[in-house]
Amino acid sequence: MVDLAVLGPLAAYGAGRTELPLGGPRQRAVLARLLVARRQVVPLPRLVADLWDGEALPRDPEGAVRTFVAALRRVLEPGRRPRTAAKLLVTEGPGYALRAAVDDVDAWRFERAARADEAAPALVETLEGALALWRGPAFADVAAAPWARAEAARLESLRLHVVERAAGALLARGGAARAVPDLEEFVATHPAREEGWRLLALALYRSGRQADALSALRRVRRTLDVRLGVEPGARLSRLEQDILRQAPHLDPAPEGGGQVWARAAEAYTRALPVADRSRLRTAAALMRDVAVTGGEGLSTAREHRLAAVAEARRYGDAELTARVIGVYDVPALWTRSDDPVRAARLVAAAEDVLRELPPEREAERARLLATVAVESRGAAAGARSLRAAREAEALARRLGDPGLLAFALNGAFVQSFARAPGGAGGGPGRARAGGDAGRDALGAELVAVAGAAGLVPHEVLGLLVRTQARCGLGDFAGAEECAAAADALAARHELPLVRVFTTWFRALRASLSGGGWEPYEEAVALLPGCGMPGFATGLPALARLTVALRSGQQPAGEGDFGPYEPWVRPLLDAYGGAGRAEVARAVAATPEPPGDHLTEVLRGLTALARQLVGEAGSGGPTGLVGAGSGVVALEIPAAGGPRGGRAH
């Protein structure tokens, strides 16, 4: 994953926010030019013309561009295997395109945030977060180039509009006094923007500064007259008259949730010193609440959570760090981590604190163990994760704390997919009674425990666990009952991510009933911006492949299979006409899939590839497999090969 930044000098960041070397000016300009094209193909001759723009061309300009592209690919996709197709900076037709996702480019994230609905409860935070992405003028190091000028100007215009929207939203929730300093700076920098002056005058008036508000309106009148020779517009003139007569509608609206939040936050800030440990604990708890909003909130929470843990470690207080780590009991349904690097750091921190914490601090130890179990799910699972899940559950039951038990059961659930260390044949092991029946029972207990204690997010988690488990057991009607109950709770308590999982379940159910690919279209549309790359990456292409295989069609193999590529590729090679021996070697080299939701699907793909090359006694699953994922499933024939292709 690479984060590309253009809201300032061009930059690219890898894991841990390490800045990547993008090379010299023209190589950097290639990347900037492709970003300006917004995923569209830029023909090679166009790239040459834009890069040298009237300057003397080198001996082989097209060769130079190809060299720049190759160097950028090495930087942006360091893990790409030799002779495999690039997935980010791709060659297509007559030129190149940068197929970055919206979440991977700061300008695109900014534009998405700029479109936030006026009724959004966290509108101020969303817009201020978007503005914080700016590090300087957009495309700063190439802004003089004709091809960058219009895009840089468009983004700057949008930035100014977002500044005004953020100020207006802050005024609407009672933050007039806080808005004044930023608006003063804004109108000083952009004196011709009448909306900025209007907001400043209104903020001053609502702060009890009527004379200053009128003075601001006189200033803008003089400014517009001197600079442009025009009078203020109708909105400014009307505001001046309203202030003079102290019109009632200028007063802020009755205090709602936004104003209550703003006043409480200001009081909290005044009451506690900056370095107070209570602030750190509160910030960690806040990140837990932000995470369940999904999308940008989930991504932001992951980042700030690790920062809070690092800050807690600086105090050298094991109990404080344990609370900061353990308070983040956000339900985790999917067994592939959204951010494996950060997850590994959290697990390491939790294990360090476990060694330092006194044995009698059982509640803190249980939360740390549950954190290890949840964060080391899927590919990162191992013997220590299974032990952590068992110990957390045992401690939680002995302590009788329903919140702690719900968190521990979450760890037990994600570890129920893990392969037991040293198990026969490397088969799946269980941290608890396993399989879909065991997970259904675990989900039912989660619903009961969380429901009785009013722990809505974990009650919803239990319903989603049961939705998946009932799918795996072939009880789609029962799964629909659980999904409907999860949707109802999510709507009542504003948990937007739930809809992503229930929509994918319904797409699977409809597709298995003969609906083909069409039911998946709505589900795929929910993935961009959901904040769950561990769930979203590779899933659309995998779903399309499973639909094609179930319907006996020749799989096209198009799209990004992400982490599932090693298990998909041998099968696609077989359908694509690769030699039998070549496919057999690829199948033999296919690794055992990690213990997660899609283990059975990936094993099924390997079984289909073996059938296709006619391997006798290949074993493996048969019938409908993988439905327990709640998102995709395969149909494995008991004998013979899948229809539609043949290796030779």
Side-chain angles (χ1 to χ4, degrees):
M1 299 289 290
V2 175
D3 187 15
L4 299 166
V6 299
L7 299 179
L10 181 68
Y13 302 95
R17 292 295 292 176
T18 303
E19 187 164 0
L20 304 177
L22 296 179
R26 282 206 168 88
Q27 183 168 301
R28 297 167 67 86
V30 170
L31 180 59
R33 180 65 183 87
L34 295 175
L35 282 162
V36 167
R38 303 177 69 85
R39 297 175 55 88
Q40 300 301 308
V41 173
V42 181
L44 185 54
R46 180 75 265 165
L47 273 174
V48 169
D50 285 344
L51 255 61
W52 279 275
D53 189 30
E55 299 180 40
L57 294 175
R59 180 176 301 175
D60 181 12
E62 293 190 349
V65 172
R66 293 189 184 98
T67 300
F68 295 150
V69 168
L72 286 169
R73 282 173 172 163
R74 287 193 293 272
V75 171
L76 300 177
E77 297 186 63
R80 185 167 58 89
R81 291 179 295 179
R83 296 182 297 280
T84 58
K87 295 179 180 178
L88 182 57
L89 204 172
V90 302
T91 303
E92 189 168 315
Y96 301 101
L98 193 73
R99 303 297 193 201
V102 170
D103 282 339
D104 298 337
V105 181
D106 61 353
W108 301 353
R109 295 198 302 273
F110 170 74
E111 291 182 74
R112 181 178 62 197
R115 295 192 295 269
D117 189 85
E118 290 294 335
L123 181 61
V124 174
E125 289 76 15
T126 298
L127 298 178
E128 289 181 344
L131 291 168
L133 295 171
W134 286 72
R135 300 166 293 114
F139 292 96
D141 36 8
V142 293
W147 48 267
R149 197 175 299 137
E151 178 67 359
R154 185 185 69 83
L155 287 168
E156 175 62 12
S157 177
L158 183 58
R159 185 186 72 83
L160 299 180
H161 176 63
V162 170
V163 170
E164 292 167 346
R165 280 194 69 199
L170 187 56
L171 284 175
R173 77 176 195 189
R178 183 160 82 84
V180 168
D182 289 340
L183 285 168
E184 287 279 17
E185 180 183 356
F186 181 72
V187 298
T189 311
H190 305 281
R193 291 190 70 91
E194 294 190 33
E195 178 63 6
W197 285 101
R198 187 189 72 82
L199 290 165
L200 173 60
L202 184 57
L204 288 165
Y205 179 81
R206 288 186 177 176
S207 302
R209 300 166 61 184
Q210 179 177 335
D212 290 336
L214 291 169
S215 175
L217 291 169
R218 286 193 294 271
R219 275 190 286 153
V220 66
R221 187 181 298 277
R222 287 194 302 271
T223 299
L224 294 175
D225 182 39
V226 170
R227 286 176 173 263
L228 303 174
V230 298
E231 288 290 313
R235 295 188 79 193
L236 280 175
S237 299
R238 189 163 54 246
L239 177 60
E240 186 173 22
Q241 295 302 315
D242 288 343
I243 289 175
L244 285 168
R245 64 186 181 87
Q246 298 183 350
H249 73 266
L250 295 183
D251 294 327
E255 194 165 84
Q259 290 95 321
V260 172
W261 167 264
R263 292 178 187 277
E266 288 173 6
Y268 188 82
T269 301
R270 288 194 302 269
L272 294 176
V274 172
D276 192 275
R277 301 183 186 199
S278 297
R279 276 196 176 193
L280 195 56
R281 291 194 295 270
T282 303
L286 180 60
M287 286 305 103
R288 172 188 59 194
D289 296 337
V290 168
V292 298
T293 65
E296 193 72 25
L298 184 55
S299 303
T300 300
R302 281 196 293 268
E303 179 180 346
H304 291 298
R305 180 190 181 193
L306 197 59
V309 172
E311 182 65 21
R313 294 293 282 162
R314 288 181 58 232
Y315 283 99
D317 184 336
E319 291 185 22
L320 171 66
T321 309
R323 291 193 185 110
V324 169
I325 294 174
V327 74
Y328 192 91
D329 54 356
V330 176
L333 177 68
W334 198 247
T335 43
R336 275 190 180 268
S337 176
D338 292 318
D339 192 333
V341 173
R342 285 196 176 102
R345 291 176 182 171
L346 282 164
V347 168
E351 290 178 329
D352 284 345
V353 178
L354 277 166
R355 286 188 286 270
E356 300 167 11
L357 205 63
E360 62 270 17
R361 306 300 298 186
E362 290 189 324
E364 288 89 344
R365 295 185 68 83
R367 285 194 170 274
L368 290 169
L369 289 163
T371 299
V372 170
V374 170
E375 295 296 339
S376 58
R377 58 194 185 269
R384 65 180 186 180
S385 313
L386 290 166
R387 284 197 302 270
R390 294 188 185 105
E391 290 177 29
E393 187 177 348
L395 276 171
R397 291 189 185 283
R398 186 164 75 246
L399 293 169
D401 180 338
L404 186 53
L405 180 56
F407 190 17
L409 289 174
N410 194 169
F413 165 68
V414 297
Q415 290 301 325
S416 72
F417 293 85
R419 294 193 303 275
R430 308 297 180 210
R432 207 171 181 277
D436 291 315
R439 281 189 277 273
D440 186 45
L442 188 153
E445 183 177 9
L446 253 177
V447 171
V449 169
L455 305 170
V456 175
H458 280 90
E459 184 180 1
V460 170
L461 172 66
L463 289 166
L464 293 176
V465 168
R466 296 205 71 193
T467 299
Q468 295 175 346
R470 300 315 300 176
C471 278
L473 295 170
D475 179 12
F476 288 97
E480 174 56 42
E481 288 181 11
C482 293
D487 280 334
L489 275 174
R492 196 156 62 246
H493 296 276
E494 298 180 345
L495 302 173
L497 288 179
V498 173
R499 179 171 170 248
V500 176
F501 292 107
T502 56
T503 302
W504 271 87
F505 151 66
R506 293 187 178 103
L508 169 63
R509 185 184 185 190
S511 181
L512 289 174
S513 299
W517 172 251
E518 186 176 351
Y520 277 108
E521 291 178 352
E522 181 186 358
V524 170
L526 294 176
L527 295 181
C530 72
M532 298 186 293
F535 178 70
T537 305
L539 191 57
L542 187 65
R544 189 177 286 276
L545 175 65
T546 60
V547 170
L549 292 171
R550 284 201 311 271
S551 59
Q553 299 172 1
Q554 178 85 10
E558 298 174 349
D560 177 10
F561 288 96
Y564 313 118
E565 177 81 19
W567 296 274
V568 171
R569 186 50 49 194
L571 183 65
L572 293 180
D573 288 347
Y575 272 101
R580 188 186 302 272
E582 179 184 350
V583 174
R585 283 194 299 272
V587 169
T590 300
E592 173 68 13
D596 62 23
H597 274 91
L598 292 173
T599 300
E600 296 306 316
V601 171
L602 301 182
R603 284 179 178 151
L605 292 172
T606 302
L608 286 174
R610 285 179 174 144
Q611 288 186 2
L612 207 56
V613 297
E615 286 192 10
S618 58
T622 59
L624 186 69
V625 300
S629 67
V631 292
V632 296
L634 274 177
E635 187 74 42
I636 311 293
R643 294 168 290 173
R646 176 181 300 177
H648 50 81

